[in-house]
Amino acid sequence: LVSYFATKSPVKIAQGCQAWPAVRRWREEAFWSTGALGQRFVPVETDYWMEEGFDIMQLKDFIQHCKVPSKSSNPSRGGYLAQHALFDQLPCLEADLRMPDLALCGDGDSTVLRQVFFGPEGTVTPLHSDPYENIFCQVVGVKYLRLYAPSESRHLYPREDMKNNSRLEPVDVLLADAVTYQEKFPEFLQAEFQDVVLHPGDVLYLPVGWWHFV
């Protein structure tokens, strides 16, 4: 792990958080939808570009929302509890987690920012990069990621207003045919990438600056 961290190279750690109580407890619908926890309100993104803002929902209602298949062909319309400091809002959840050792390997001035990403089947996050290190811990469900090194940035069509976000829509990343790429994003065909699939209990170290579609 030290060598990956030193060279800023991503690495999947199979079952790296398998011992967390959250892996066992959080997969149960009743955990989120009953008692005081289910009554708490959370901000739910309604589209991934944040053009439509948030819906404020009780956790129990959000769980029901996640169970209903989306009728929209646009993956941004699924509703997503994302980038939310849920552990600050609900400290009772902290007992189900353990701090990954890698998260403590930064310099002395580093701050650990803990966020939750929680959504229905098919939820996506557009291709982007982050200005900080990521330790991605998969607790419930299966997640597919496509990773691009910072050196591939010139092929990924950064947006003018948000340089760390690509102009490619998720459907362009996964489903567009060669003709579409040649017409709209010819450089994208030259970008090299890595595919990663995370199962419950897996951990991914994603270095600063690496682009990722989730």
Side-chain angles (χ1 to χ4, degrees):
L1 292 180
V2 173
S3 63
Y4 288 100
F5 193 81
T7 58
K8 302 300 181 184
S9 301
V11 59
K12 172 183 172 179
I13 307 164
Q15 299 188 344
C17 63
Q18 183 65 38
W20 289 9
V23 175
R24 171 177 48 85
R25 286 162 50 84
W26 291 11
R27 65 188 180 190
E28 301 296 335
E29 177 184 341
F31 178 84
W32 299 101
S33 58
T34 60
L37 195 62
Q39 303 297 319
R40 300 301 296 268
F41 287 89
V42 292
V44 178
E45 295 181 6
T46 55
D47 71 294
Y48 51 60
W49 293 129
M50 297 300 293
E51 295 172 345
E52 299 182 14
F54 296 88
D55 282 338
I56 303 300
M57 304 176 67
Q58 287 184 302
L59 267 174
K60 63 182 181 64
D61 295 329
F62 180 60
I63 291 299
Q64 293 304 311
H65 165 81
C66 289
K67 294 171 59 180
V68 178
S70 174
K71 297 180 180 179
S72 173
S73 60
N74 188 335
S76 73
R77 298 295 186 264
Y80 199 16
L81 176 57
Q83 303 182 80
H84 180 53
L86 190 64
F87 307 122
D88 294 335
Q89 179 187 0
L90 301 172
C92 61
L93 296 175
E94 294 190 20
D96 290 340
L97 307 173
R98 303 290 182 268
M99 182 67 72
D101 291 343
L102 269 178
L104 303 176
C105 292
D107 57 48
D109 296 327
S110 297
T111 299
V112 176
L113 177 65
R114 300 178 302 169
Q115 297 178 328
V116 169
F117 296 81
F118 189 169
E121 181 180 0
T123 300
V124 299
T125 300
L127 184 61
H128 69 285
S129 64
D130 294 319
Y132 44 77
E133 311 276 9
N134 278 286
I135 311 295
F136 192 110
C137 302
Q138 185 70 17
V139 175
V140 178
V142 178
K143 183 67 72 176
Y144 166 80
L145 300 92
R146 181 173 289 187
L147 313 180
Y148 298 84
S151 58
E152 301 298 320
S153 296
R154 65 188 185 278
H155 301 311
L156 302 181
Y157 295 88
R159 296 179 63 173
E160 292 296 329
D161 54 339
M162 294 187 291
K163 297 293 187 181
N164 68 320
N165 283 261
S166 171
R167 289 193 283 123
L168 280 83
E169 293 281 344
V171 68
D172 294 323
V173 175
L174 293 180
L175 300 178
D177 56 31
V179 173
T180 301
Y181 287 137
Q182 290 291 355
E183 292 177 351
K184 297 172 60 179
F185 308 110
E187 289 288 323
F188 186 62
L189 289 172
Q190 303 178 35
E192 297 184 359
F193 60 87
Q194 303 176 30
D195 289 325
V196 179
V197 176
L198 299 178
H199 294 85
D202 289 343
V203 172
L204 173 68
Y205 165 57
L206 187 62
V208 60
W210 273 73
W211 293 78
H212 45 292
F213 168 87
V214 186

